[in-house]
Amino acid sequence: MELRTAASPKDVKHYTTDRLREEFLIQNLFVPGEIKLVYSHIDRMIVGSAAPAENPLALTAGDELRAAYFCERRELGVINIGGKGTITIDGTVYELESKDGMYIGMGSKDIVFASEDAANPAKFYLNSVPAHMSYPTVLIKPENCVQVELGSLEESNHRVICKYILPGQVESCQLVMGMTSLKPGSVWNTMPCHTHDRRMEAYLYFDLPEDAFVMHYMGEPNETRHVVMRNQEAILSPSWSIHAGSGTRAYTFIWGMAGENQAFDDMDGVAMTDIR
């Protein structure tokens, strides 16, 4: 498990491109036959992936969590962006198609990921945060989720937000998670941008061809920086930072948040005239 420490905005504004990428960008996810985990000191979120191939992969706590098992004091959100697969939790098998998700509650001990077909493997994207009580484990189908259509083609931000884990739908301690898909011809996400000092966020960009990329914007509103992101790469967003992107074409991204509350609309908007 890789460790990432928190960063001050006073320092980040002096970072080089390489340093920005080292601190916030998460690459080399979904390596066949591997689980990759990045432990961030920002709200103690773990961002990672499980990419089972011929053999199943068991999720363990490792030395970093000082726990008997991964979800001893944590909850876990999962969204599959690959082929068909299964997640076995304490002996119960859940089948996940592409874009299906799961909420796995605190206290779940044995978590095993598997692919139905190694030639078209499942790709499980993971967000995990500390939990204070156990909520039920839930298999999440996107067609059963709250969906909101926002933006317009004229503003290049026509998109559909699919909310997987949120109060009133799938209960959790603090994790909120979902997926946003841009319509063809639109390239902007989260613009006008915002911050939310009460919560951090992580993004996973995908559904991009090899020669395409997303320009992810971060930093304080008056000290913005950018990180070039390719297909199936993730990025950490501190609570003081904006988090927006523009792509060379339409794309999809998964967002996960954790912090003081679970109010999706608890954000501090930034006027377009104040961004620099």
Side-chain angles (χ1 to χ4, degrees), residues 2-27 36-42 45 47 200-203 216 218-219 225-229 234-238 240-241:
E2 179 186 347
L3 176 66
R4 304 277 183 99
T5 55
S8 165
K10 294 179 181 179
D11 297 328
V12 170
K13 68 181 181 179
H14 299 296
Y15 285 1
T16 63
T17 296
D18 285 345
R19 181 70 187 280
L20 273 178
R21 294 171 68 84
E22 178 185 351
E23 295 290 341
F24 301 106
L25 179 64
I26 301 174
Q27 297 178 292
K36 174 165 182 170
L37 302 173
V38 174
Y39 183 113
S40 172
H41 279 183
I42 307 171
M45 178 181 273
V47 176
M200 64 83 68
E201 193 158 3
Y203 277 8
H216 179 88
M218 62 169 295
R225 301 292 185 268
H226 71 267
V227 178
V228 174
M229 301 190 62
I235 192 161
L236 300 167
S237 180
W240 47 262
S241 176

Side-chain angles (χ1 to χ4, degrees), residues 1 35 37 58-65 67-71 109 111:
M1 192 180 302
I35 290 177
L37 302 173
L59 182 64
T60 60
D63 294 336
E64 292 81 3
L65 297 187
Y69 51 94
F70 188 89
C71 282
K109 291 184 178 180
I111 302 171

Side-chain angles (χ1 to χ4, degrees), residues 71-75 103 105-106 129-134 173-174:
C71 282
E72 183 178 15
R73 297 184 299 273
R74 288 185 157 267
E75 58 188 0
Y103 172 78
M106 184 184 76
V129 292
H132 59 271
M133 65 176 289
S134 180
C173 290
Q174 61 167 322

